[in-house]
Amino acid sequence: TQLLEQSPQFLSIQEGENLTVYCNSSSVFSSLQWYRQEPGEGPVLLVTVVTGGEVKKLKRLTFQFGDARKDSSLHITAAQPGDTGLYLCAGANNDMRFGAGTRLTVKP
Amino acid sequence: GAGVSQSPSNKVTEKGKDVELRCDPISGHTALYWYRQSLGQGLEFLIYFQGNSAPDKSGLPSDRFSAERTGGSVSTLTIQRTQQEDSAVYLCASSFRGLVNTEAFFGQGTRLTVV
């Protein structure tokens, strides 16, 4: 059983569409991070959210941390083929646990 | 180098053999993590080190798996009597002190294939 549940598991969309992916848990985290992983590489950090209700924006990406610090969402506006990859959320307390990821494909 | 280094990058081994995977974290990083990633899957937590001690070993899949870290730096993950289900990419990450508001940096992984 995953500590962090990510949905959807797979997502294939056309360039220009918007999308939201979710990360849910029954546990409370000190912080939650989103990583992106490309084939053959290790995950790379996109953002860290710490405060319940926090919203962070990174260009076309908007990240939100739930009020109870148990869940998070990632919204991408006007997706581009370069956004293709595996998006992983990670919850941190004393260690760091990852969800199974959302594999996003953006078709030109 | 400036990043997390893992070796070997690829390892093919026969079922039943022992293998040792190495991780060189970024200098000064006190926290070190091992994860396993099967093809097309997310990251499975294996073990976490803070300095040389491992507060949580509960992620190790079986007693065939062990890990150590010496000098607060290099870590080795050992798999004894490898099985085909051990085939995966083994990723190591390090971070400076605790995890709240700090970034974990990943190596490129060791791809292990058990034949």
Short mmCIF file of all heavy atoms in Angstrom, two decimals, chain B residues 10-79:
data_model
loop_
_atom_site.label_atom_id
_atom_site.label_comp_id
_atom_site.label_asym_id
_atom_site.label_seq_id
_atom_site.Cartn_x
_atom_site.Cartn_y
_atom_site.Cartn_z
N ASN B 10 25.27 0.14 -14.72
CA ASN B 10 24.54 -1.06 -15.13
C ASN B 10 25.21 -2.28 -14.53
O ASN B 10 26.44 -2.34 -14.48
CB ASN B 10 24.53 -1.19 -16.66
CG ASN B 10 23.49 -0.30 -17.29
OD1 ASN B 10 22.30 -0.56 -17.24
ND2 ASN B 10 23.96 0.78 -17.87
N LYS B 11 24.39 -3.25 -14.12
CA LYS B 11 24.94 -4.49 -13.58
C LYS B 11 24.04 -5.64 -14.01
O LYS B 11 22.83 -5.62 -13.74
CB LYS B 11 25.02 -4.41 -12.06
CG LYS B 11 25.49 -5.68 -11.37
CD LYS B 11 26.96 -5.91 -11.58
CE LYS B 11 27.43 -7.14 -10.81
NZ LYS B 11 28.88 -7.40 -11.06
N VAL B 12 24.64 -6.60 -14.67
CA VAL B 12 23.92 -7.83 -15.00
C VAL B 12 24.55 -8.94 -14.17
O VAL B 12 25.77 -9.11 -14.18
CB VAL B 12 24.03 -8.16 -16.50
CG1 VAL B 12 23.28 -9.45 -16.80
CG2 VAL B 12 23.48 -7.01 -17.34
N THR B 13 23.73 -9.66 -13.46
CA THR B 13 24.24 -10.70 -12.59
C THR B 13 23.39 -11.95 -12.71
O THR B 13 22.22 -11.90 -13.11
CB THR B 13 24.28 -10.22 -11.13
OG1 THR B 13 24.99 -11.18 -10.33
CG2 THR B 13 22.87 -10.09 -10.56
N GLU B 14 24.01 -13.07 -12.36
CA GLU B 14 23.27 -14.32 -12.39
C GLU B 14 22.48 -14.51 -11.10
O GLU B 14 22.93 -14.13 -10.01
CB GLU B 14 24.23 -15.50 -12.58
CG GLU B 14 24.88 -15.53 -13.95
CD GLU B 14 25.80 -16.72 -14.09
OE1 GLU B 14 26.04 -17.42 -13.09
OE2 GLU B 14 26.28 -16.96 -15.22
N LYS B 15 21.33 -15.11 -11.23
CA LYS B 15 20.50 -15.42 -10.07
C LYS B 15 21.33 -16.18 -9.04
O LYS B 15 22.09 -17.09 -9.38
CB LYS B 15 19.31 -16.26 -10.52
CG LYS B 15 18.37 -16.72 -9.42
CD LYS B 15 17.26 -17.57 -10.00
CE LYS B 15 16.43 -18.18 -8.89
NZ LYS B 15 15.34 -19.04 -9.43
N GLY B 16 21.21 -15.74 -7.79
CA GLY B 16 21.94 -16.40 -6.71
C GLY B 16 23.24 -15.72 -6.32
O GLY B 16 23.78 -15.99 -5.24
N LYS B 17 23.74 -14.84 -7.18
CA LYS B 17 24.98 -14.11 -6.87
C LYS B 17 24.68 -12.92 -5.97
O LYS B 17 23.56 -12.42 -5.92
CB LYS B 17 25.63 -13.61 -8.16
CG LYS B 17 26.00 -14.71 -9.14
CD LYS B 17 27.27 -15.41 -8.73
CE LYS B 17 27.75 -16.33 -9.84
NZ LYS B 17 28.96 -17.09 -9.43
N ASP B 18 25.70 -12.45 -5.28
CA ASP B 18 25.59 -11.24 -4.47
C ASP B 18 26.03 -10.04 -5.29
O ASP B 18 26.94 -10.15 -6.13
CB ASP B 18 26.49 -11.34 -3.22
CG ASP B 18 26.10 -12.47 -2.30
OD1 ASP B 18 25.04 -13.09 -2.52
OD2 ASP B 18 26.86 -12.74 -1.35
N VAL B 19 25.41 -8.88 -5.04
CA VAL B 19 25.83 -7.65 -5.72
C VAL B 19 25.95 -6.53 -4.70
O VAL B 19 25.28 -6.52 -3.67
CB VAL B 19 24.85 -7.21 -6.84
CG1 VAL B 19 24.83 -8.21 -7.96
CG2 VAL B 19 23.46 -6.96 -6.28
N GLU B 20 26.84 -5.59 -5.03
CA GLU B 20 27.05 -4.43 -4.18
C GLU B 20 26.89 -3.18 -5.03
O GLU B 20 27.55 -3.04 -6.07
CB GLU B 20 28.47 -4.46 -3.59
CG GLU B 20 28.54 -4.04 -2.15
CD GLU B 20 29.93 -4.20 -1.58
OE1 GLU B 20 30.86 -3.54 -2.05
OE2 GLU B 20 30.06 -5.02 -0.64
N LEU B 21 26.03 -2.29 -4.59
CA LEU B 21 25.79 -1.03 -5.29
C LEU B 21 26.32 0.11 -4.43
O LEU B 21 26.13 0.12 -3.21
CB LEU B 21 24.29 -0.83 -5.55
CG LEU B 21 23.53 -2.03 -6.11
CD1 LEU B 21 22.06 -1.69 -6.31
CD2 LEU B 21 24.15 -2.51 -7.40
N ARG B 22 26.95 1.07 -5.09
CA ARG B 22 27.61 2.13 -4.35
C ARG B 22 26.99 3.48 -4.64
O ARG B 22 26.55 3.76 -5.76
CB ARG B 22 29.09 2.14 -4.74
CG ARG B 22 29.91 3.25 -4.09
CD ARG B 22 31.32 3.29 -4.65
NE ARG B 22 32.03 4.48 -4.24
CZ ARG B 22 33.01 4.50 -3.34
NH1 ARG B 22 33.39 3.38 -2.75
NH2 ARG B 22 33.61 5.63 -3.02
N CYS B 23 26.97 4.32 -3.60
CA CYS B 23 26.45 5.68 -3.75
C CYS B 23 27.41 6.66 -3.08
O CYS B 23 27.71 6.52 -1.89
CB CYS B 23 25.07 5.81 -3.11
SG CYS B 23 24.43 7.50 -3.08
N ASP B 24 27.87 7.65 -3.85
CA ASP B 24 28.68 8.74 -3.32
C ASP B 24 27.81 9.99 -3.26
O ASP B 24 27.51 10.57 -4.30
CB ASP B 24 29.88 9.02 -4.22
CG ASP B 24 31.00 8.04 -4.00
OD1 ASP B 24 31.80 8.28 -3.09
OD2 ASP B 24 31.06 7.04 -4.74
N PRO B 25 27.41 10.41 -2.07
CA PRO B 25 26.51 11.57 -2.00
C PRO B 25 27.26 12.88 -2.21
O PRO B 25 28.50 12.88 -2.30
CB PRO B 25 25.97 11.49 -0.57
CG PRO B 25 27.11 10.88 0.21
CD PRO B 25 27.75 9.90 -0.75
N ILE B 26 26.53 13.95 -2.30
CA ILE B 26 27.13 15.27 -2.38
C ILE B 26 27.83 15.56 -1.05
O ILE B 26 27.26 15.29 0.02
CB ILE B 26 26.07 16.33 -2.69
CG1 ILE B 26 25.53 16.12 -4.11
CG2 ILE B 26 26.62 17.74 -2.54
CD1 ILE B 26 24.35 16.98 -4.48
N SER B 27 29.05 16.08 -1.15
CA SER B 27 29.84 16.35 0.05
C SER B 27 29.07 17.25 1.02
O SER B 27 28.53 18.28 0.62
CB SER B 27 31.15 17.01 -0.36
OG SER B 27 31.92 17.32 0.78
N GLY B 28 29.02 16.82 2.28
CA GLY B 28 28.35 17.63 3.30
C GLY B 28 26.90 17.27 3.52
O GLY B 28 26.28 17.71 4.50
N HIS B 29 26.34 16.48 2.63
CA HIS B 29 24.95 16.06 2.82
C HIS B 29 24.88 14.97 3.89
O HIS B 29 25.53 13.94 3.78
CB HIS B 29 24.37 15.53 1.50
CG HIS B 29 23.93 16.61 0.59
ND1 HIS B 29 23.17 16.36 -0.53
CD2 HIS B 29 24.12 17.95 0.62
CE1 HIS B 29 22.90 17.51 -1.15
NE2 HIS B 29 23.48 18.48 -0.46
N THR B 30 24.05 15.21 4.90
CA THR B 30 23.98 14.27 6.01
C THR B 30 22.94 13.17 5.79
O THR B 30 23.05 12.09 6.35
CB THR B 30 23.65 15.00 7.32
OG1 THR B 30 22.42 15.73 7.14
CG2 THR B 30 24.75 15.98 7.68
N ALA B 31 21.94 13.46 5.00
CA ALA B 31 20.87 12.48 4.76
C ALA B 31 21.10 11.76 3.45
O ALA B 31 21.47 12.38 2.44
CB ALA B 31 19.51 13.17 4.75
N LEU B 32 20.91 10.45 3.46
CA LEU B 32 21.09 9.63 2.26
C LEU B 32 19.96 8.62 2.17
O LEU B 32 19.58 8.03 3.18
CB LEU B 32 22.46 8.94 2.30
CG LEU B 32 22.87 8.15 1.05
CD1 LEU B 32 24.39 8.23 0.86
CD2 LEU B 32 22.39 6.72 1.10
N TYR B 33 19.43 8.45 0.97
CA TYR B 33 18.27 7.59 0.74
C TYR B 33 18.56 6.59 -0.37
O TYR B 33 19.21 6.93 -1.35
CB TYR B 33 17.07 8.43 0.29
CG TYR B 33 16.67 9.48 1.26
CD1 TYR B 33 17.39 10.66 1.36
CD2 TYR B 33 15.60 9.28 2.12
CE1 TYR B 33 17.05 11.62 2.28
CE2 TYR B 33 15.24 10.22 3.04
CZ TYR B 33 15.97 11.39 3.13
OH TYR B 33 15.63 12.34 4.05
N TRP B 34 18.00 5.41 -0.21
CA TRP B 34 17.99 4.42 -1.29
C TRP B 34 16.53 4.13 -1.66
O TRP B 34 15.67 3.91 -0.79
CB TRP B 34 18.65 3.12 -0.85
CG TRP B 34 20.14 3.15 -0.82
CD1 TRP B 34 20.95 3.33 0.26
CD2 TRP B 34 21.02 2.94 -1.94
NE1 TRP B 34 22.27 3.25 -0.11
CE2 TRP B 34 22.34 3.00 -1.45
CE3 TRP B 34 20.82 2.69 -3.30
CZ2 TRP B 34 23.46 2.85 -2.28
CZ3 TRP B 34 21.93 2.53 -4.10
CH2 TRP B 34 23.23 2.61 -3.60
N TYR B 35 16.29 4.12 -2.98
CA TYR B 35 14.97 3.77 -3.52
C TYR B 35 15.15 2.74 -4.62
O TYR B 35 16.22 2.63 -5.24
CB TYR B 35 14.27 5.00 -4.12
CG TYR B 35 13.97 6.10 -3.14
CD1 TYR B 35 14.88 7.13 -2.94
CD2 TYR B 35 12.79 6.11 -2.41
CE1 TYR B 35 14.61 8.15 -2.04
CE2 TYR B 35 12.52 7.13 -1.50
CZ TYR B 35 13.43 8.14 -1.32
OH TYR B 35 13.17 9.15 -0.43
N ARG B 36 14.07 2.03 -4.88
CA ARG B 36 14.07 1.07 -5.99
C ARG B 36 12.93 1.46 -6.93
O ARG B 36 11.81 1.78 -6.46
CB ARG B 36 13.87 -0.35 -5.46
CG ARG B 36 13.82 -1.41 -6.53
CD ARG B 36 13.92 -2.80 -5.94
NE ARG B 36 12.73 -3.21 -5.21
CZ ARG B 36 12.56 -4.43 -4.72
NH1 ARG B 36 13.52 -5.33 -4.87
NH2 ARG B 36 11.46 -4.74 -4.08
N GLN B 37 13.20 1.43 -8.21
CA GLN B 37 12.19 1.78 -9.20
C GLN B 37 12.12 0.68 -10.25
O GLN B 37 13.08 0.48 -11.00
CB GLN B 37 12.50 3.13 -9.84
CG GLN B 37 11.42 3.66 -10.76
CD GLN B 37 11.68 5.08 -11.22
OE1 GLN B 37 12.83 5.48 -11.42
NE2 GLN B 37 10.63 5.87 -11.39
N SER B 38 10.99 0.01 -10.29
CA SER B 38 10.78 -0.99 -11.33
C SER B 38 10.29 -0.29 -12.59
O SER B 38 9.82 0.85 -12.54
CB SER B 38 9.77 -2.04 -10.87
OG SER B 38 10.24 -2.69 -9.71
N LEU B 39 10.38 -0.96 -13.70
CA LEU B 39 10.08 -0.37 -15.01
C LEU B 39 8.71 0.28 -15.01
O LEU B 39 7.70 -0.37 -14.72
CB LEU B 39 10.18 -1.43 -16.09
CG LEU B 39 10.03 -0.93 -17.52
CD1 LEU B 39 11.18 0.03 -17.86
CD2 LEU B 39 10.01 -2.09 -18.51
N GLY B 40 8.68 1.58 -15.32
CA GLY B 40 7.42 2.29 -15.43
C GLY B 40 6.72 2.58 -14.11
O GLY B 40 5.59 3.07 -14.11
N GLN B 41 7.39 2.32 -13.00
CA GLN B 41 6.76 2.50 -11.69
C GLN B 41 7.35 3.70 -10.95
O GLN B 41 8.31 4.33 -11.41
CB GLN B 41 6.96 1.23 -10.84
CG GLN B 41 6.40 -0.02 -11.47
CD GLN B 41 4.91 0.06 -11.67
OE1 GLN B 41 4.16 0.41 -10.76
NE2 GLN B 41 4.46 -0.25 -12.87
N GLY B 42 6.76 4.00 -9.78
CA GLY B 42 7.29 5.06 -8.93
C GLY B 42 8.45 4.55 -8.09
O GLY B 42 9.00 3.48 -8.35
N LEU B 43 8.79 5.33 -7.08
CA LEU B 43 9.95 5.01 -6.24
C LEU B 43 9.52 4.27 -4.98
O LEU B 43 8.68 4.75 -4.23
CB LEU B 43 10.67 6.29 -5.85
CG LEU B 43 11.74 6.79 -6.82
CD1 LEU B 43 11.14 7.15 -8.15
CD2 LEU B 43 12.48 7.97 -6.23
N GLU B 44 10.13 3.12 -4.75
CA GLU B 44 9.88 2.33 -3.55
C GLU B 44 10.97 2.64 -2.53
O GLU B 44 12.16 2.44 -2.81
CB GLU B 44 9.88 0.84 -3.89
CG GLU B 44 9.72 -0.08 -2.70
CD GLU B 44 9.91 -1.55 -3.08
OE1 GLU B 44 10.19 -1.83 -4.26
OE2 GLU B 44 9.80 -2.40 -2.18
N PHE B 45 10.59 3.13 -1.37
CA PHE B 45 11.55 3.48 -0.33
C PHE B 45 12.21 2.22 0.22
O PHE B 45 11.54 1.25 0.55
CB PHE B 45 10.81 4.21 0.80
CG PHE B 45 11.64 4.46 2.03
CD1 PHE B 45 12.51 5.54 2.10
CD2 PHE B 45 11.56 3.61 3.13
CE1 PHE B 45 13.27 5.78 3.24
CE2 PHE B 45 12.30 3.84 4.27
CZ PHE B 45 13.16 4.92 4.32
N LEU B 46 13.53 2.25 0.32
CA LEU B 46 14.27 1.12 0.88
C LEU B 46 14.81 1.45 2.27
O LEU B 46 14.52 0.76 3.24
CB LEU B 46 15.40 0.70 -0.05
CG LEU B 46 15.00 0.20 -1.44
CD1 LEU B 46 16.24 -0.15 -2.25
CD2 LEU B 46 14.09 -1.01 -1.33
N ILE B 47 15.63 2.50 2.35
CA ILE B 47 16.28 2.82 3.62
C ILE B 47 16.75 4.26 3.60
O ILE B 47 16.99 4.83 2.54
CB ILE B 47 17.46 1.85 3.88
CG1 ILE B 47 17.99 1.98 5.32
CG2 ILE B 47 18.58 2.08 2.87
CD1 ILE B 47 18.95 0.85 5.70
N TYR B 48 16.89 4.83 4.79
CA TYR B 48 17.28 6.21 4.96
C TYR B 48 18.38 6.27 6.02
O TYR B 48 18.28 5.62 7.06
CB TYR B 48 16.05 7.00 5.38
CG TYR B 48 16.26 8.24 6.20
CD1 TYR B 48 16.91 9.34 5.67
CD2 TYR B 48 15.76 8.34 7.50
CE1 TYR B 48 17.07 10.49 6.41
CE2 TYR B 48 15.92 9.49 8.24
CZ TYR B 48 16.57 10.57 7.70
OH TYR B 48 16.72 11.71 8.43
N PHE B 49 19.45 7.03 5.73
CA PHE B 49 20.53 7.27 6.67
C PHE B 49 20.55 8.72 7.07
O PHE B 49 20.42 9.62 6.24
CB PHE B 49 21.89 6.93 6.04
CG PHE B 49 22.15 5.46 5.87
CD1 PHE B 49 21.82 4.83 4.67
CD2 PHE B 49 22.71 4.71 6.88
CE1 PHE B 49 22.06 3.48 4.50
CE2 PHE B 49 22.95 3.35 6.72
CZ PHE B 49 22.62 2.74 5.51
N GLN B 50 20.73 8.95 8.36
CA GLN B 50 21.06 10.28 8.86
C GLN B 50 22.44 10.12 9.48
O GLN B 50 22.60 9.47 10.52
CB GLN B 50 20.04 10.77 9.89
CG GLN B 50 20.27 12.19 10.34
CD GLN B 50 20.15 13.21 9.21
OE1 GLN B 50 21.14 13.68 8.66
NE2 GLN B 50 18.93 13.54 8.85
N GLY B 51 23.44 10.70 8.85
CA GLY B 51 24.81 10.38 9.23
C GLY B 51 25.08 8.92 8.88
O GLY B 51 24.75 8.46 7.79
N ASN B 52 25.63 8.17 9.83
CA ASN B 52 25.93 6.76 9.60
C ASN B 52 24.83 5.83 10.10
O ASN B 52 24.91 4.61 9.90
CB ASN B 52 27.24 6.37 10.29
CG ASN B 52 28.45 6.98 9.60
OD1 ASN B 52 28.40 7.30 8.43
ND2 ASN B 52 29.52 7.16 10.36
N SER B 53 23.82 6.38 10.74
CA SER B 53 22.81 5.52 11.32
C SER B 53 21.55 5.51 10.46
O SER B 53 21.21 6.50 9.80
CB SER B 53 22.46 5.96 12.74
OG SER B 53 21.91 7.25 12.73
N ALA B 54 20.87 4.38 10.48
CA ALA B 54 19.67 4.19 9.68
C ALA B 54 18.46 4.07 10.61
O ALA B 54 18.18 2.99 11.13
CB ALA B 54 19.80 2.94 8.82
N PRO B 55 17.73 5.19 10.82
CA PRO B 55 16.58 5.14 11.74
C PRO B 55 15.47 4.22 11.27
O PRO B 55 14.70 3.72 12.09
CB PRO B 55 16.09 6.59 11.76
CG PRO B 55 17.21 7.41 11.24
CD PRO B 55 17.95 6.54 10.29
N ASP B 56 15.38 4.02 9.96
CA ASP B 56 14.26 3.25 9.43
C ASP B 56 14.75 2.29 8.36
O ASP B 56 15.15 2.72 7.28
CB ASP B 56 13.18 4.18 8.86
CG ASP B 56 11.93 3.44 8.44
OD1 ASP B 56 11.92 2.19 8.48
OD2 ASP B 56 10.95 4.10 8.07
N LYS B 57 14.73 1.00 8.69
CA LYS B 57 15.14 -0.02 7.72
C LYS B 57 13.94 -0.82 7.24
O LYS B 57 14.09 -1.85 6.60
CB LYS B 57 16.14 -0.98 8.37
CG LYS B 57 17.41 -0.33 8.86
CD LYS B 57 18.36 -1.35 9.48
CE LYS B 57 19.61 -0.69 9.99
NZ LYS B 57 20.54 -1.66 10.61
N SER B 58 12.74 -0.32 7.56
CA SER B 58 11.54 -1.12 7.31
C SER B 58 11.24 -1.31 5.84
O SER B 58 10.49 -2.20 5.46
CB SER B 58 10.34 -0.46 7.98
OG SER B 58 10.08 0.83 7.41
N GLY B 59 11.84 -0.48 4.98
CA GLY B 59 11.56 -0.60 3.56
C GLY B 59 12.36 -1.68 2.85
O GLY B 59 12.07 -2.01 1.71
N LEU B 60 13.36 -2.22 3.51
CA LEU B 60 14.16 -3.27 2.87
C LEU B 60 13.26 -4.48 2.62
O LEU B 60 12.61 -4.97 3.54
CB LEU B 60 15.35 -3.65 3.75
CG LEU B 60 16.39 -2.55 3.94
CD1 LEU B 60 17.46 -3.00 4.93
CD2 LEU B 60 17.02 -2.16 2.61
N PRO B 61 13.23 -4.98 1.37
CA PRO B 61 12.23 -6.00 0.99
C PRO B 61 12.40 -7.33 1.71
O PRO B 61 11.42 -8.03 1.92
CB PRO B 61 12.44 -6.16 -0.52
CG PRO B 61 13.19 -4.95 -0.95
CD PRO B 61 14.01 -4.53 0.21
N SER B 62 13.63 -7.69 2.02
CA SER B 62 13.86 -8.97 2.69
C SER B 62 15.21 -8.91 3.40
O SER B 62 15.95 -7.93 3.26
CB SER B 62 13.86 -10.11 1.67
OG SER B 62 15.05 -10.10 0.90
N ASP B 63 15.54 -9.98 4.12
CA ASP B 63 16.82 -10.00 4.83
C ASP B 63 17.99 -10.23 3.88
O ASP B 63 19.14 -10.24 4.30
CB ASP B 63 16.82 -11.02 5.96
CG ASP B 63 16.52 -12.43 5.49
OD1 ASP B 63 16.47 -12.64 4.25
OD2 ASP B 63 16.32 -13.31 6.33
N ARG B 64 17.70 -10.38 2.59
CA ARG B 64 18.80 -10.47 1.62
C ARG B 64 19.37 -9.08 1.32
O ARG B 64 20.44 -8.98 0.74
CB ARG B 64 18.31 -11.11 0.31
CG ARG B 64 17.84 -12.55 0.45
CD ARG B 64 17.52 -13.15 -0.90
NE ARG B 64 16.37 -12.51 -1.55
CZ ARG B 64 16.45 -11.65 -2.57
NH1 ARG B 64 17.64 -11.32 -3.07
NH2 ARG B 64 15.37 -11.14 -3.11
N PHE B 65 18.64 -8.07 1.70
CA PHE B 65 19.05 -6.68 1.45
C PHE B 65 19.67 -6.09 2.71
O PHE B 65 19.11 -6.22 3.81
CB PHE B 65 17.85 -5.82 1.04
CG PHE B 65 17.32 -6.07 -0.33
CD1 PHE B 65 16.63 -7.23 -0.63
CD2 PHE B 65 17.53 -5.15 -1.35
CE1 PHE B 65 16.13 -7.47 -1.90
CE2 PHE B 65 17.04 -5.36 -2.62
CZ PHE B 65 16.33 -6.53 -2.91
N SER B 66 20.80 -5.42 2.55
CA SER B 66 21.40 -4.69 3.65
C SER B 66 22.09 -3.45 3.11
O SER B 66 22.40 -3.38 1.92
CB SER B 66 22.40 -5.56 4.41
OG SER B 66 23.47 -5.94 3.56
N ALA B 67 22.27 -2.47 3.97
CA ALA B 67 22.94 -1.24 3.54
C ALA B 67 23.75 -0.70 4.69
O ALA B 67 23.41 -0.90 5.86
CB ALA B 67 21.93 -0.20 3.08
N GLU B 68 24.84 -0.05 4.34
CA GLU B 68 25.65 0.62 5.36
C GLU B 68 26.17 1.92 4.80
O GLU B 68 26.22 2.13 3.59
CB GLU B 68 26.80 -0.28 5.82
CG GLU B 68 27.81 -0.62 4.76
CD GLU B 68 28.99 -1.41 5.34
OE1 GLU B 68 28.88 -1.93 6.46
OE2 GLU B 68 30.03 -1.47 4.66
N ARG B 69 26.54 2.75 5.73
CA ARG B 69 27.14 4.04 5.37
C ARG B 69 28.28 4.30 6.34
O ARG B 69 28.13 4.16 7.56
CB ARG B 69 26.11 5.17 5.46
CG ARG B 69 26.61 6.49 4.89
CD ARG B 69 25.57 7.57 5.03
NE ARG B 69 26.01 8.78 4.35
CZ ARG B 69 25.43 9.97 4.50
NH1 ARG B 69 24.38 10.10 5.31
NH2 ARG B 69 25.88 11.02 3.85
N THR B 70 29.42 4.65 5.80
CA THR B 70 30.60 4.87 6.63
C THR B 70 31.11 6.29 6.47
O THR B 70 31.03 6.87 5.37
CB THR B 70 31.72 3.89 6.23
OG1 THR B 70 31.97 4.01 4.84
CG2 THR B 70 31.30 2.46 6.54
N GLY B 71 31.60 6.85 7.58
CA GLY B 71 32.17 8.19 7.54
C GLY B 71 31.18 9.26 7.16
O GLY B 71 31.58 10.35 6.74
N GLY B 72 29.89 8.95 7.28
CA GLY B 72 28.87 9.92 6.93
C GLY B 72 28.88 10.26 5.45
O GLY B 72 28.32 11.29 5.04
N SER B 73 29.47 9.39 4.65
CA SER B 73 29.59 9.70 3.23
C SER B 73 29.09 8.53 2.38
O SER B 73 27.89 8.32 2.27
CB SER B 73 31.03 10.06 2.88
OG SER B 73 31.15 10.40 1.52
N VAL B 74 30.01 7.74 1.86
CA VAL B 74 29.67 6.69 0.90
C VAL B 74 28.74 5.65 1.53
O VAL B 74 28.89 5.28 2.70
CB VAL B 74 30.95 5.99 0.40
CG1 VAL B 74 30.63 4.78 -0.44
CG2 VAL B 74 31.80 6.99 -0.37
N SER B 75 27.80 5.17 0.73
CA SER B 75 26.90 4.12 1.17
C SER B 75 26.94 2.97 0.17
O SER B 75 27.12 3.19 -1.04
CB SER B 75 25.47 4.63 1.29
OG SER B 75 24.57 3.60 1.63
N THR B 76 26.80 1.75 0.69
CA THR B 76 26.68 0.59 -0.18
C THR B 76 25.39 -0.15 0.14
O THR B 76 25.03 -0.31 1.32
CB THR B 76 27.87 -0.36 -0.03
OG1 THR B 76 28.00 -0.72 1.34
CG2 THR B 76 29.14 0.28 -0.52
N LEU B 77 24.73 -0.58 -0.89
CA LEU B 77 23.54 -1.42 -0.77
C LEU B 77 23.93 -2.80 -1.29
O LEU B 77 24.39 -2.92 -2.43
CB LEU B 77 22.39 -0.84 -1.59
CG LEU B 77 21.10 -1.65 -1.64
CD1 LEU B 77 20.40 -1.65 -0.28
CD2 LEU B 77 20.15 -1.08 -2.71
N THR B 78 23.78 -3.80 -0.45
CA THR B 78 24.17 -5.16 -0.81
C THR B 78 22.92 -6.03 -0.93
O THR B 78 22.05 -6.00 -0.06
CB THR B 78 25.12 -5.75 0.24
OG1 THR B 78 26.28 -4.92 0.36
CG2 THR B 78 25.56 -7.16 -0.15
N ILE B 79 22.87 -6.77 -2.01
CA ILE B 79 21.79 -7.73 -2.21
C ILE B 79 22.44 -9.11 -2.30
O ILE B 79 23.25 -9.36 -3.20
CB ILE B 79 20.97 -7.45 -3.47
CG1 ILE B 79 20.51 -5.99 -3.51
CG2 ILE B 79 19.75 -8.38 -3.54
CD1 ILE B 79 19.84 -5.59 -4.82
#
